[in-house]
């Protein structure tokens, strides 16, 4: 049997499975072994279940045996971020407060993944309730960067990024509220996309900030990513914010690259605070695009400077309400020391939530309080509209916006824990697009001298994931040549 | 002593909508049964669930707004009301705040003297019901039943236009009546289908400024609402008279003791941190949708009242009773139209039928209205006496058979045959010769006795007018003998 499946793309593995060279069970076993041996070090998975995975793989092999092939990635294992419900498996959100909680239904996207015949192999680590940029805020410990295990993986979908980058699974699903898919993708050197708000059903995704949360896939290259995006996208009547628009076959349109697409370079994304290596790598890409005769346009997104502030007001406000249900009454963690109803709430939540989550709940509660609502929440919502308008104006001149994904490469553990503000600024380039509900992705664009990956961000118009993926494909090919 | 003061009252009425399913999930809204059986991940607030608005609940709300002449807004927004309580699984209630479905409108109430008063509404909005806690079953813990959680609720908020417990009572009765006409609520107050919060302050009569108000929470009985308002009004007047000040507080009615008790002070009042519900889109209600709903509106109580007066010419009091419920009004209308005897129909419905439905619901009564109509026709045509009609009706209540069938089977048809009645009259008089003599000597009160005897002999079937005449003639004949 062929070994080194981790060096193959998902579609290559699928092709082998579909032509019966190998079985889905064998592939699944292979990756389970990889997880067994690598996870103790990397900590990308919170849980994985041999029996659960193999019984799916067996069923899928049977379907393939009777030529019932429902997707080009059928039979390939996929990892799911542990804030997404997979019926029968635990959902921890990397929080103590959900200890012992087992999902009672499948998320909308999990239904699609099952229909497409992918094998759910395990649940990946994250910052508690997806709140963080480094994946250090997990009750189950931080995720290490598989490229350099002294560095953080990025967050909050650090487990998904590290699992794919570390060859523990060829495909993974994350979620992105303010950069949680793109940042770890950049830090771990894999492509990942956060599609338009409403493109993928949020039903079954544990809410952090409902108006910003969006699920996003990870893969080893842009083609796999495009294929996975086609599988998980689509309207879900149970999610009122999901939009019924056609789902293109993304993989089929990649080859046209940046042909005929204008790329906007926003000056606000290239200011102070970018690490030199990141600036050089991104500028390199821009130079190459120029050589490729891609039309580059200088644009301005003046409200960018407000986006981190606006994001943290709105996201925390929604989070303070979304996390109210974890109260120790019906499920999850309940404190042992309870004398009264107040104790039940107060002690369960104080003991069940981690520092960062509590910080955000308090900030969010504050900005919604009587007397502060207008100054914070209402004003943030107004600026959010301005940010959206900014993007709309920019998109009159271009189809794509290009920027670094993060001002830095993966940093050291503990480096930003002491300074929450510095941690929040890791998201400076990624928070604006979620506020506008538009698609954005990170694609690898080189490495710094120590070998740490650098990510480049492409932002597109609402529901124009095609252009974003085409641009990423173009850059990916360019990097192969370089 | 109390008369120089008056109460100023505003109500927040909650009406449970009787949609088949809950407001944000597919669970049934039925009442009763085992706890926690009509629940699903959505109404239990499990991680990852999302609400999905029930269009029927919106339509029911639009009906209420149209019936009270409010303005339906083309765009409204759901908002989260955040607070912790074990009957609230999500830690917030999805309600409406800055942008409710409707504003304005009014309800006309009428007191027993027929005086009308217009009670303005400030808003109508849609929200979800919470679960129910049981504290008395066990001393160590409380129990939670989440069956009720997510039942759609319409909240109607009035302006402070009410001035007495009687007016509050009339207003609530009217709301209940309208909701019943619209068929949007079971109207069952014991089951909590209609509840209200009462805002009440007192002021000197003639004073333009309102006093500080207190709120009495969660009342669900018309009787107790009256008592609670009267108690609270008197206690506020006492405080003011003794030089005290009312502070803005929330009270609870203790029905065992019959007093209102402090629940929380203003300082303890919750900050609900309302903000727009991000899991739901803005609620858009197009003019076309409103028109579609308007077309489904039934005739409303006030219209029906006016029409009954016009069409049937029966007394206002009767019309008031008959239109108090839509089912009763519909029932009466069939009886009246079939019998073509509106006054008689009204009497029968208000006396005989109402007596029967005191115990049960009108929908469960076996007597079909058209059958009662036929019975009344038979009375009017003299085919059956009123007395036998009552027996026939009793039989109809018992078996549901129709009047003609019963009359035929039981031989209850009225005797209008002059010769037959003469025969009975003669027989009665012959058998009571002593009494006849006494009568002829002037004891005229005995006429009723003879009449009764004749009726008894004919099992009440003899036509009374005829008996009267023949009896008189026969007695006169005997005067000469
Ligand atoms: Zn439910």
């Amino acid at each position: 049997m062929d070994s080194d499946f981790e060096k193959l793309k998902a579609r290559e593995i699928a092709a082998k499975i579909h032509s019966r060279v190998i079985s889905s069970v064998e592939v699944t076993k292979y990756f389970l072994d990889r997880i067994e041996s690598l996870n103790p070090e990397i900590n990308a998975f919170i849980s994985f279940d041999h029996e659960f995975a193999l019984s799916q793989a067996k069923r899928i092999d049977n379907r393939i045996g009777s030529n019932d092939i429902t997707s080009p990635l059928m039979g390939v294992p996929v990892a799911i971020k542990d804030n997404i419900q997979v019926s029968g498996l635990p959902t921890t959100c990397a929080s103590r407060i959900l200890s012992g909680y087992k999902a009672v239904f499948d998320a909308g996207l999990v239904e699609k993944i099952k229909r497409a015949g992918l094998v759910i192999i395990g649940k990946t680590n994250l910052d508690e309730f997806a709140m963080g940029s480094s994946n250090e805020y997990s009750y189950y410990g931080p995720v290490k960067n598989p490229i350099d295990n002294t560095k953080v993986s990025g967050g909050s979908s650090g487990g998904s990024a590290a699992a794919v980058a570390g060859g523990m699974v060829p495909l993974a699903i994350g979620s992105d509220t303010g950069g949680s898919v793109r940042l770890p993708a950049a830090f771990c050197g894999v492509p990942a996309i956060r599609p338009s708000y409403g493109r993928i059903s949020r039903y079954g995704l544990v809410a952090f900030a409902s108006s910003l949360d969006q699920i996003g896939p990870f893969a080893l290259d842009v083609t796999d990513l495009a294929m996975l995006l086609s599988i998980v996208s689509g309207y879900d009547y149970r999610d009122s914010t999901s939009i019924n628009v056609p789902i293109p076959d993304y993989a089929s349109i990649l080859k046209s690259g940046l042909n005929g697409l204008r790329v906007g370079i926003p000056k606000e994304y290239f200011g102070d605070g970018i690490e030199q290596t990141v600036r050089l790598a991104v500028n390199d890409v821009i130079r190459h695009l120029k050589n490729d005769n891609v039309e580059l346009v200088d644009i301005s997104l003046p409200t960018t400077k407000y986006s981190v502030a606006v994001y943290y007001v709105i996201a925390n406000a929604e989070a303070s309400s979304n996390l109210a249900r974890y109260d120790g009454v019906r499920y999850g963690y309940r404190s042992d020391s309870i004398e009264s109803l107040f104790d039940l709430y107060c002690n369960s939540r104080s003991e069940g939530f981690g520092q960062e989550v509590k910080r955000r709940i308090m900030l969010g509660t504050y900005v919604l309080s009587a007397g502060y609502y207008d100054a914070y929440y209402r004003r943030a919502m107004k600026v959010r509209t301005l940010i959206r308008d900014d993007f709309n104006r920019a998109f009159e001149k271009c189809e794509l916006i290009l920027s670094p994904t993060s001002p830095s490469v993966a940093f050291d553990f503990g480096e930003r824990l002491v300074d929450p503000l510095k941690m929040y600024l890791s998201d400076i380039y990624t928070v604006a697009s979620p506020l506008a509900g538009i698609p954005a992705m990170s694609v690898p664009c080189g490495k710094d001298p120590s070998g740490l990956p650098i990510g480049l961000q492409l932002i597109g118009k609402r529901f124009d994931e095609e252009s974003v993926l085409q641009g990423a494909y173009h850059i990916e090919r360019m990097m192969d040549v370089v | 002593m109390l008369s120089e003061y008056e109460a100023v009252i505003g109500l927040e009425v909650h009406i449970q909508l009787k949609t088949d399913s809950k407001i944000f999930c597919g669970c049934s809204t039925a009442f009763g049964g085992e706890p926690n059986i009509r629940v699903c991940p959505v109404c239990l607030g499990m991680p990852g669930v999302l609400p999905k608005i029930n269009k029927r609940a919106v339509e029911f709300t639009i009906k209420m707004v149209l019936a009270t002449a409010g303005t339906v807004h083309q765009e409204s927004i759901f908002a989260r009301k955040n607070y912790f309580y074990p009957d609230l699984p999500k830690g917030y209630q999805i309600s409406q705040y800055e942008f409710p479905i409707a504003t304005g409108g009014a309800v006309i109430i009428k007191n027993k003297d027929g005086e009308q008063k217009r009670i303005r509404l400030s808003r109508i909005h849609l929200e979800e019901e919470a679960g129910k806690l049981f504290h008395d079953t066990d001393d160590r813990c409380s129990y939670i039943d989440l069956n009720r959680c997510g039942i759609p609720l319409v909240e109607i908020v009035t302006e402070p236009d009410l001035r007495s417990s009687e007016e509050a009572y009339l207003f609530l009765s009217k709301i209940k009546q309208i909701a019943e006409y619209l068929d949007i609520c079971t109207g069952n107050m014991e089951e909590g289908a209609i509840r209200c919060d009462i805002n009440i302050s007192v002021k000197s009569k003639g004073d333009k400024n309102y006093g500080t108000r207190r709120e009495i929470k969660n009342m669900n009985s018309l009787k107790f609402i009256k008592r609670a308002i009267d108690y609270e009004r008197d206690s506020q007047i006492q405080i003011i008279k003794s030089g005290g000040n009312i502070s803005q507080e929330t009270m609870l009615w203790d029905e065992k003791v019959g007093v209102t008790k402090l629940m929380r002070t203003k300082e303890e009042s919750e900050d609900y941190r309302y903000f727009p519900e991000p899991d739901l889109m803005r609620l858009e209600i197009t003019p076309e949708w409103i028109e579609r709903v308007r077309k489904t509106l039934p005739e409303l109580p006030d219209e029906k009242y006016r029409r009954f007066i016009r069409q049937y010419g029966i007394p206002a009091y009767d019309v008031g009773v008959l239109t108090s419920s839509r089912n009763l009004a519909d029932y009466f209308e069939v009886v009246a139209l079939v019998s073509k005897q509106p006054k008689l129909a009204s009497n029968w419905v208000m006396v005989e039928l109402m007596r029967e439905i005191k115990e049960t619901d009108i929908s469960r009564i076996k007597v079909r209205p058209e059958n009662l109509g036929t019975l009344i026709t038979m009375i009017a045509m003299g085919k059956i006496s009123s007395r036998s009609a009552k027996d026939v009706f009793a039989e109809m209540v018992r078996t549901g058979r129709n009047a003609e069938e019963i009359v035929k089977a039981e031989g209850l048809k009225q005797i209008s045959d002059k010769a037959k009645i003469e025969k009975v009259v003669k027989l009665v008089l012959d058998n009571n010769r002593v009494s006849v003599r006494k009568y002829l000597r002037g004891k005229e009160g005995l006429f009723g006795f003879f009449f009764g005897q004749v009726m008894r002999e004919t099992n009440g079937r003899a036509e009374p007018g005829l008996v009267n005449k023949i009896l008189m003639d026969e007695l006169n004949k005997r005067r000469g003998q």
Side-chain angles (χ1 to χ4, degrees):
Chain A
M1 192 185 79
D2 226 327
S3 60
D4 294 356
F5 285 128
E6 78 275 12
K7 297 207 175 91
L8 297 180
K9 305 295 186 283
R11 61 187 177 285
E12 295 164 351
I13 297 171
K16 283 181 192 290
I17 296 172
H18 299 179
S19 59
R20 326 284 156 80
V21 177
I22 41 162
S23 67
S24 176
V25 167
E26 285 166 313
V27 171
T28 304
K29 271 188 183 147
Y30 180 87
F31 282 106
L32 282 167
D33 287 347
R34 293 272 303 171
I35 296 169
E36 287 280 10
S37 64
L38 294 172
N39 201 54
E41 173 60 20
I42 303 297
N43 201 25
F45 284 83
I46 289 177
S47 67
F48 53 98
D49 187 327
H50 288 257
E51 209 180 306
F52 187 86
L54 288 171
S55 73
Q56 290 174 75
K58 229 170 268 167
R59 274 200 303 279
I60 289 161
D61 279 334
N62 287 338
R63 276 163 64 188
I64 293 170
S66 51
N67 266 327
D68 175 23
I69 293 172
T70 45
S71 84
L73 296 178
M74 187 165 183
V76 179
V78 60
I80 310 274
K81 189 178 182 179
D82 205 15
N83 61 348
I84 295 169
Q85 310 291 324
V86 179
S87 186
L89 294 185
T91 305
T92 67
C93 293
S95 179
R96 187 187 192 191
I97 207 146
L98 274 172
S99 36
Y101 183 79
K102 229 178 214 178
V104 292
F105 63 93
D106 275 334
L109 127 143
V110 169
E111 289 174 354
K112 288 189 194 293
I113 283 178
K114 285 185 171 174
R115 233 174 283 140
L118 277 72
V119 179
I120 294 165
I121 201 163
K123 306 290 297 287
T124 54
N125 205 343
L126 64 153
D127 283 295
E128 185 176 356
F129 284 101
M131 296 174 181
S133 309
S134 66
N135 219 127
E136 291 170 282
Y137 298 126
S138 166
Y139 182 64
Y140 298 90
V143 177
K144 288 183 185 168
N145 194 315
I147 310 300
D148 174 351
N149 63 12
T150 67
K151 305 288 179 188
V152 300
S153 61
S156 68
S157 309
S160 294
V164 172
M168 299 158 86
V169 67
L171 302 166
I173 300 295
S175 71
D176 185 315
T177 305
S180 283
V181 153
R182 292 160 287 159
L183 201 63
F187 283 11
C188 295
V190 290
I193 185 164
R194 171 208 160 88
S196 311
Y197 187 74
R199 177 62 90 180
I200 300 178
S201 166
R202 290 189 298 118
Y203 192 80
L205 167 67
V206 177
F208 155 17
S210 313
S211 73
L212 296 157
D213 295 341
Q214 181 59 207
I215 285 168
F218 291 83
L220 284 165
D221 72 356
V222 176
T223 308
D224 276 1
L225 187 70
M227 292 168 86
L228 184 53
L229 182 62
S230 288
I231 289 172
V232 296
S233 294
Y235 176 70
D236 183 345
Y237 73 95
R238 293 164 299 188
D239 175 0
S240 307
T241 61
S242 122
I243 312 284
N244 202 351
V245 286
I247 314 149
D249 176 5
Y250 293 115
S252 71
I253 45 90
L254 295 176
K255 299 238 154 46
S256 47
L258 283 167
N259 249 343
L261 299 178
R262 296 165 299 172
V263 178
I265 313 292
K267 59 171 190 270
E268 291 82 2
Y269 284 64
F270 291 86
D272 299 336
I274 307 187
E275 279 180 10
Q276 196 56 21
T277 49
V278 174
R279 189 192 296 275
L280 288 175
V282 176
N283 282 338
D284 230 28
V285 170
I286 294 174
R287 214 178 40 250
H288 276 98
L289 292 177
K290 233 178 239 163
N291 293 342
D292 279 1
N293 288 322
V294 172
E295 192 181 334
L296 299 172
V297 198
D298 285 326
I299 57 163
S300 173
L301 296 165
T303 52
T304 299
K305 55 178 175 291
Y306 306 118
S307 56
V308 171
V310 168
Y311 170 82
Y312 277 95
V313 169
I314 294 172
N316 292 344
E318 293 180 13
S320 70
S321 172
N322 281 329
L323 269 60
R325 70 189 60 193
Y326 310 107
D327 54 9
V329 174
R330 284 147 299 128
Y331 49 78
Y333 178 80
R334 180 186 285 181
S335 172
D336 286 331
S337 50
I338 300 169
E339 299 282 317
S340 65
L341 180 60
F342 181 82
D343 288 351
L344 169 62
Y345 286 138
C346 190
N347 298 350
S348 300
R349 287 168 65 82
S350 299
E351 295 161 24
F353 287 132
Q355 279 300 315
E356 178 61 20
V357 170
K358 280 189 270 194
R359 181 177 7 249
R360 296 201 193 198
I361 290 174
M362 283 190 281
L363 284 169
T365 304
Y366 179 79
V367 300
L368 289 176
S369 301
Y372 299 98
Y373 183 89
D374 287 341
Y376 293 101
Y377 185 80
R378 199 188 296 279
R379 184 173 297 177
M381 290 300 273
K382 280 185 183 150
V383 181
R384 183 177 188 171
T385 310
L386 298 179
I387 291 170
R388 215 172 269 159
D389 295 346
D390 249 13
F391 276 110
N392 287 339
R393 257 193 306 277
F395 281 126
E396 286 167 9
K397 292 196 211 155
C398 59
E399 282 70 45
L400 282 175
I401 295 171
L402 181 152
S403 80
T405 304
S406 162
S408 74
V409 292
F411 44 85
D412 290 336
F413 287 101
E415 192 186 307
R416 300 190 181 180
L417 287 179
V418 283
D419 185 353
L421 190 60
K422 202 168 176 207
M423 184 73 93
Y424 294 169
L425 287 174
S426 312
D427 301 333
I428 187 155
Y429 301 141
T430 53
V431 292
S433 53
L435 289 166
I438 53 183
M441 76 172 283
S442 180
V443 61
C445 74
K447 289 179 171 166
D448 83 345
S450 60
L452 288 173
I454 297 166
L456 178 143
Q457 177 173 239
L458 289 170
I459 304 172
K461 296 176 192 171
R462 184 113 196 250
F463 296 118
D464 185 15
E465 283 78 6
E466 285 112 308
S467 297
V468 174
L469 288 163
Q470 282 171 17
Y473 184 78
H474 190 113
I475 291 163
E476 185 180 68
R477 265 192 321 182
M478 221 166 68
M479 300 310 299
D480 285 347
V481 177
V482 179
Chain B
M1 154 193 123
L2 300 176
S3 60
E4 62 208 89
Y5 288 98
E6 68 179 353
V8 175
I9 302 161
L11 299 179
E12 291 166 24
V13 187
H14 293 92
I15 296 174
Q16 275 184 358
L17 298 181
K18 61 172 196 185
T19 47
D20 293 336
S21 53
K22 293 184 179 178
I23 182 168
F24 297 124
C25 64
C27 293
S28 157
T29 58
F31 179 83
E34 290 286 299
N36 301 310
I37 50 165
R38 287 181 294 274
V39 291
C40 72
V42 175
C43 54
L44 288 175
M46 305 297 263
V49 297
L50 294 170
K52 179 79 187 171
I53 182 76
N54 177 345
K55 287 253 162 65
R56 292 284 288 163
V58 177
E59 273 171 19
F60 281 16
T61 312
I62 297 174
K63 283 186 183 184
M64 194 66 201
V65 178
L66 296 177
T68 50
T71 307
V72 178
H73 297 297
Q74 289 200 31
E75 216 175 71
S76 68
I77 294 180
F78 285 100
R80 291 189 187 175
K81 179 180 183 179
N82 295 284
Y83 63 96
F84 286 100
Y85 205 59
D87 64 5
L88 194 67
K90 297 190 295 295
Y92 57 83
Q93 177 196 29
I94 303 179
S95 178
Q96 296 192 301
Y97 188 56
E98 282 183 295
F99 304 96
I101 285 186
T103 49
V107 165
I108 311 291
I109 58 171
K110 203 185 304 169
N111 70 14
K112 53 183 178 299
D113 303 323
E115 284 167 36
Q116 294 195 351
K117 184 167 175 184
R118 192 167 173 271
I119 309 302
R120 292 166 303 151
L121 306 183
S122 77
R123 59 186 275 153
I124 292 181
H125 74 242
L126 183 56
E127 62 185 27
E128 61 178 333
E129 178 77 280
K132 225 174 161 179
L133 294 188
F134 296 87
H135 301 293
D136 304 332
T137 357
D138 193 315
D139 357 317
R140 288 185 321 110
C141 60
S142 299
Y143 290 90
I144 311 174
D145 178 8
L146 296 175
N147 282 340
R148 205 178 72 170
C149 208
I151 290 178
L153 278 186
V154 156
E155 180 172 329
I156 301 169
V157 184
T158 74
E159 297 290 344
D161 286 352
L162 301 158
R163 289 293 173 272
S164 67
S165 60
E166 177 64 19
E167 287 185 2
Y169 172 87
L170 292 171
F171 176 82
L172 277 165
S173 307
K174 192 63 180 277
I175 289 288
K176 182 169 181 267
Q177 186 191 23
I178 293 171
E180 194 231 11
Y181 266 63
L182 296 172
D183 202 21
I184 60 171
C185 175
T186 64
N188 193 326
M189 293 190 78
E190 293 80 57
E191 291 175 3
I194 299 179
R195 308 190 301 273
C196 79
D197 300 337
I198 303 161
N199 284 297
I200 171 169
S201 62
V202 294
K203 66 176 181 69
S204 307
K205 276 188 181 159
D207 194 340
K208 289 248 174 350
N209 299 318
Y210 296 155
T212 307
R213 66 196 158 91
R214 298 210 288 210
E215 184 179 12
I216 313 171
K217 276 273 180 210
N218 219 3
M219 304 291 301
N220 70 342
S221 136
L222 286 172
K223 187 172 74 187
F224 289 138
I225 285 165
K226 261 181 143 171
R227 282 198 205 154
I229 289 175
D230 288 340
Y231 178 87
E232 181 60 29
R233 177 203 58 198
D234 293 351
S235 97
Q236 288 191 21
I237 292 171
Q238 290 298 342
I239 292 172
I240 291 171
K241 284 203 152 177
S242 57
N245 277 316
I246 307 291
S247 41
Q248 202 178 318
E249 288 163 339
T250 306
M251 316 296 284
L252 269 184
W253 171 248
D254 184 333
E255 66 181 50
K256 283 185 200 114
V257 192
V259 299
T260 56
K261 284 182 171 166
L262 182 66
M263 182 177 155
R264 57 174 177 248
T265 62
K266 192 188 178 192
E267 290 69 35
E268 294 165 328
S269 79
E270 294 232 31
D271 178 358
Y272 292 122
R273 308 187 317 280
Y274 282 99
F275 74 103
E277 165 58 275
D279 286 331
L280 291 168
M281 308 293 263
R282 284 153 188 267
L283 178 61
E284 279 181 49
I285 302 175
T286 60
E288 294 75 40
W289 194 9
I290 298 173
E291 282 320 301
R292 271 202 309 280
V293 176
R294 196 190 298 278
K295 290 206 179 87
T296 68
L297 285 188
E299 186 180 36
L300 292 165
D302 291 348
E303 299 168 42
K304 206 183 273 292
Y305 179 88
R306 286 192 293 268
R307 180 171 65 83
F308 273 22
I309 297 234
R310 209 170 52 231
Q311 184 173 343
Y312 297 115
I314 46 179
Y317 173 79
D318 291 21
V319 174
V321 174
L322 292 170
T323 57
S324 64
S325 109
R326 183 179 162 187
N327 288 339
L328 186 64
D330 288 350
Y331 194 103
F332 159 75
E333 198 146 33
V334 173
V335 178
L337 292 174
V338 167
S339 66
K340 302 192 183 67
Q341 302 289 330
K343 179 65 196 145
L344 209 49
S346 154
N347 288 345
W348 270 82
V349 169
M350 285 178 55
V351 181
E352 303 302 329
L353 185 79
M354 296 276 273
R355 177 164 38 226
E356 294 303 326
I357 59 177
K358 220 184 258 168
E359 305 296 322
T360 166
D361 190 83
I362 192 162
S363 59
R364 268 183 236 141
I365 191 124
K366 286 188 184 150
V367 185
R368 313 236 349 121
E370 58 273 23
N371 290 346
L372 179 53
T374 310
L375 179 65
I376 290 169
T377 309
M378 291 166 79
I379 302 169
M381 287 170 60
K383 284 190 183 156
I384 180 172
S385 72
S386 291
R387 223 206 93 191
S388 344
K390 282 177 191 170
D391 296 338
V392 174
F393 183 72
E395 186 64 11
M396 290 165 79
V397 169
R398 221 165 48 74
T399 62
R401 285 159 68 202
N402 72 48
E404 280 161 320
E405 233 178 81
I406 296 169
V407 167
K408 203 179 272 169
E410 312 269 325
L412 288 174
K413 257 203 178 132
Q414 185 151 339
I415 303 166
S416 308
D417 183 335
K418 213 175 158 188
K420 248 187 205 162
I421 295 175
E422 264 173 12
K423 218 165 152 190
V424 180
V425 167
K426 280 181 182 151
L427 190 75
V428 167
L429 296 184
D430 290 347
N431 290 343
N432 293 285
R433 285 174 199 280
V434 181
S435 299
V436 171
R437 265 201 304 278
K438 279 185 186 164
Y439 172 85
L440 293 174
R441 272 195 226 116
K443 214 165 173 205
E444 296 197 350
L446 282 167
F447 186 82
F449 166 74
F450 301 132
F451 184 86
Q453 291 294 308
V454 175
M455 293 313 280
R456 210 177 67 185
E457 289 299 317
T458 58
N459 288 321
R461 288 158 53 218
E463 189 183 330
L466 217 47
V467 174
N468 197 57
K469 187 173 173 296
I470 294 170
L471 188 59
M472 196 65 88
D473 290 348
E474 195 59 32
L475 282 166
N476 282 338
K477 263 189 225 159
R478 296 192 185 201
R479 200 180 290 278
Q481 288 170 3

